[in-house]
Amino acid sequence: MPSLAVIGSQWGDEGKGKIIDYLDEGADLIVRFQGGNNAGHTIIVGDRVFKLHGLPSGVVRPGKLAVIGNGTVVNMEDLLGEIAHVEEAGGSVDGLRISDSAALIMDYHEKLDGAEEKYRGKKPVGTTKKGIGPTYQDKISRIGFRAGDLLEEDTLREKIAMVLPYKKDMLALMEAGECGYTAESLFEKMTSWGKKLGKYICDTSVLVNESLDAGKNVLFEGAQGAMLDIDHGTYPFVTSSATMAGGVCTGAGIAPNRLDGVMGVVKAYTTRVGEGPFVTELRGEEEKKLQIKGGEFGVTTGRGRRCGWLDLVVVNHANRLCGFSSIAVTKIDVLNDYEVLPVCTEYEIDGVRTKYFPGSVRKLERAKPIYTEMKGWKGWNDTEAVVKGGYDELPREMKDYIAFIEKELKTPVDIVSVGPDRDQTIDRRKNWWN
Ligand code: GDP
Ligand code: IMO
Ligand code: MG
């Protein structure tokens, strides 16, 4: 199996970074295909902690190519800061490659992101304010900058002359603050990015395809999660990219038949950052307990994540659209203080039971969860035995919980993550690249 995509099956923060880091030992390329520095992927290796936003998780292991694909949005200024962070933590970015077609996030996009939220009034999306939405808007409107522009002075001057007056008017109209650039100072800023990062910019679609032709192993690193997908998520409370498996093809520049497998990452409970409906959400002390136990605070914004029980209506929706060939269940160790664990398998909407996630957010707001109660493994804490002995060492109730997920999703749980560290991973399959 030379290519595998890792996709979040809920609302992001499922532990994708950790799973990608575990799997990429055997990979040659790790490719981001959508999103930008709204992502926050944590990788813990011994006493080293990497918090990655725009960089692919592959930068953590030496000798890998870490590719930022054409479907992403890139903040070059932030990327320089992140490269410094990785180098300080002992990593290297020698293998970094940035698609010449990746869209660039500019200062004005961040300002417009904040302003748009104000216009949404009482119903903000709760974005990360990283400028993700406005950057994708400009891409679709065909007035965005691309990484490759940084290498062509004529293109850059021509685009700046066209885009800058337009953006200045937009900022003024939306009372979003000053642009802060003249055409000349923006040109200088952007050519300085080109000088520092130009060596990494290339046609990454050719790179990925040639690597696959050569039998190399390619891991596609999803950001956000299925429920934040622009088309199939809880619109308008979503991000602005295609977060599902289909996004791999357009966002990395490969044909659909080149994707061999899709791993869905399922957190053993559910979290969500930002606004929007959340059927299994807990309230008050119950929510706080899970939030604190799971350390559920955002890597990118520091916001507390909303918490609730596992919702398999959500994960089944993701599975239908992504075609998971494997599941990784993460953070199951966090659930070790409950006698009973409710798992949602259906919704009741206006008196009718359904297994399907509704397209309308209003309907979703009226949905009531129907739970199956699973027995908990209260008090279990022996991660060390599990790291040594593997799956057999898990408590019986935890195995039942995993088997229930497998039955409901009709997909094997090949990985069980019992802690944040690379070693705290049970791998029931092992031969990922054969
Ligand atoms: P991502 O955005 O999907 O990569 O996930 P984040 O890094 O935003 O959030 C996941 C958090 O859970 C991080 O702090 C990880 O270190 C941590 N984590 C990942 N897997 C596990 C696990 O199995 N158990 C525990 N306790 N923590 C985990
Ligand atoms: P990772 O890759 C969780 C959420 C924001 C907001 C919505 C839109 O770490 O799982 P945006 O800034 O993208 O326009 O915000 O999407 N969001 C995430 N939530 N994990 C993420 O990434 C997220 N990236 C964006 O909180 O609700
Ligand atoms: Mg995250």
Side-chain angles (χ1 to χ4, degrees):
M1 178 189 283
S3 80
L4 177 68
V6 176
I7 307 284
S9 70
Q10 294 147 320
W11 277 282
D13 303 325
E14 297 89 351
K16 298 175 294 294
K18 164 177 171 165
I19 297 301
I20 287 155
D21 173 64
Y22 173 77
L23 288 171
D24 71 19
E25 184 175 17
D28 301 293
L29 281 80
I30 296 87
V31 185
R32 280 280 307 266
F33 57 91
Q34 46 71 231
N37 57 338
N38 48 347
H41 295 178
T42 316
I43 295 167
I44 301 179
V45 191
D47 54 6
R48 292 189 304 164
V49 179
F50 298 88
K51 289 178 188 290
L52 301 172
H53 300 282
L55 283 173
S57 297
V59 292
V60 168
R61 287 194 199 255
K64 312 280 174 194
L65 287 183
V67 179
I68 299 180
N70 59 276
T72 63
V73 288
V74 187
N75 184 320
M76 291 295 192
E77 203 64 38
D78 279 16
L79 198 67
L80 286 165
E82 219 178 313
I83 289 172
H85 160 73
V86 166
E87 287 175 342
E88 274 161 32
S92 150
V93 295
D94 287 350
L96 178 64
R97 300 290 180 272
I98 304 169
S99 166
D100 52 8
S101 309
L104 298 188
I105 302 177
M106 310 292 283
D107 287 2
Y108 50 75
H109 290 132
E110 292 176 331
K111 290 180 180 160
L112 290 168
D113 195 350
E116 283 181 2
E117 284 285 78
K118 274 194 250 151
Y119 274 84
R120 292 185 187 113
K122 286 193 187 125
K123 294 225 161 171
V125 173
T127 74
T128 59
K129 302 228 170 75
K130 297 289 179 187
I132 306 298
T135 306
Y136 277 116
Q137 286 167 28
D138 279 3
K139 170 177 173 166
I140 301 298
S141 299
R142 295 153 294 181
I143 54 160
F145 290 100
R146 295 171 137 201
D149 298 343
L150 303 177
L151 307 178
E152 292 176 4
E153 292 202 353
D154 290 354
T155 309
L156 206 49
R157 282 201 188 279
E158 204 176 280
K159 275 197 168 176
I160 289 173
M162 187 262 291
V163 173
L164 196 60
Y166 172 50
K167 288 294 153 184
K168 283 190 171 177
D169 284 353
M170 281 296 283
L171 287 164
L173 199 68
M174 294 181 73
E175 297 177 353
E178 290 294 316
C179 172
Y181 286 108
T182 61
E184 201 48 43
S185 68
L186 186 56
F187 177 79
E188 273 168 30
K189 173 62 78 194
M190 295 184 80
T191 43
S192 82
W193 294 338
K195 281 186 193 121
K196 289 174 197 152
L197 295 165
K199 61 183 171 198
Y200 302 120
I201 298 172
C202 63
D203 185 335
T204 55
S205 165
V206 169
L207 173 70
V208 173
N209 280 282
E210 284 189 351
S211 303
L212 287 168
D213 290 343
K216 300 237 162 96
N217 297 331
V218 181
L219 194 58
F220 295 98
E221 173 173 1
Q224 289 79 56
M227 287 296 144
L228 292 170
D229 184 271
I230 185 70
D231 284 284
H232 303 285
T234 44
Y235 190 90
F237 304 101
V238 291
T239 190
S240 299
S241 65
T243 60
M244 302 245 198
V248 174
C249 299
T250 49
I254 60 157
N257 63 357
R258 303 222 76 164
L259 193 55
D260 298 307
V262 183
M263 161 157 288
V265 185
V266 181
K267 196 184 283 195
Y269 49 97
T270 313
T271 62
R272 171 162 209 180
V273 199
E275 303 304 317
F278 178 175
V279 177
T280 61
E281 185 169 18
L282 291 164
R283 307 276 174 192
E285 285 310 305
E286 272 198 300
E287 178 170 50
K288 265 252 116 30
K289 174 176 168 183
L290 199 46
Q291 190 184 58
I292 289 167
K293 222 158 174 301
E296 297 296 352
F297 298 90
V299 180
T300 301
T301 59
R303 289 179 290 179
R305 295 172 183 151
R306 298 156 65 193
C307 295
W309 301 123
L310 180 60
D311 184 343
L312 291 179
V313 178
V314 160
V315 183
N316 255 320
H317 179 73
N319 198 8
R320 176 163 53 87
L321 290 154
C322 295
F324 297 142
S325 45
S326 253
I327 297 286
V329 171
T330 59
K331 302 194 86 162
I332 200 159
D333 53 299
V334 172
L335 295 180
N336 70 347
D337 196 20
Y338 297 93
E339 300 285 356
V340 170
L341 291 164
V343 178
C344 175
T345 49
E346 277 182 287
Y347 294 161
E348 189 191 304
I349 306 175
D350 304 331
V352 179
R353 284 169 79 132
T354 178
K355 273 184 171 290
Y356 294 108
F357 198 82
S360 149
V361 167
R362 284 214 187 278
K363 262 194 176 175
L364 194 56
E365 277 164 355
R366 298 198 299 275
K368 294 189 191 87
I370 296 175
Y371 287 116
T372 298
E373 297 206 326
M374 302 295 295
K375 213 161 173 262
W377 47 91
K378 194 173 163 100
W380 171 85
N381 209 9
D382 204 355
T383 311
E384 253 178 58
V386 171
V387 169
K388 277 198 202 116
Y391 191 78
D392 290 344
E393 295 296 323
L394 293 179
R396 195 172 52 78
E397 295 80 4
M398 198 192 280
K399 286 188 202 153
D400 289 346
Y401 194 80
I402 292 164
F404 186 72
I405 294 173
E406 288 185 316
K407 179 173 78 75
E408 289 293 311
L409 299 181
K410 301 183 183 70
T411 311
V413 172
D414 286 329
I415 289 183
V416 183
S417 174
V418 292
D421 208 276
R422 192 184 270 172
D423 297 339
Q424 293 168 321
T425 312
I426 302 169
D427 187 344
R428 301 168 80 192
R429 171 173 163 165
K430 292 196 174 72
N431 59 338
W432 289 98
W433 302 105
N434 295 325

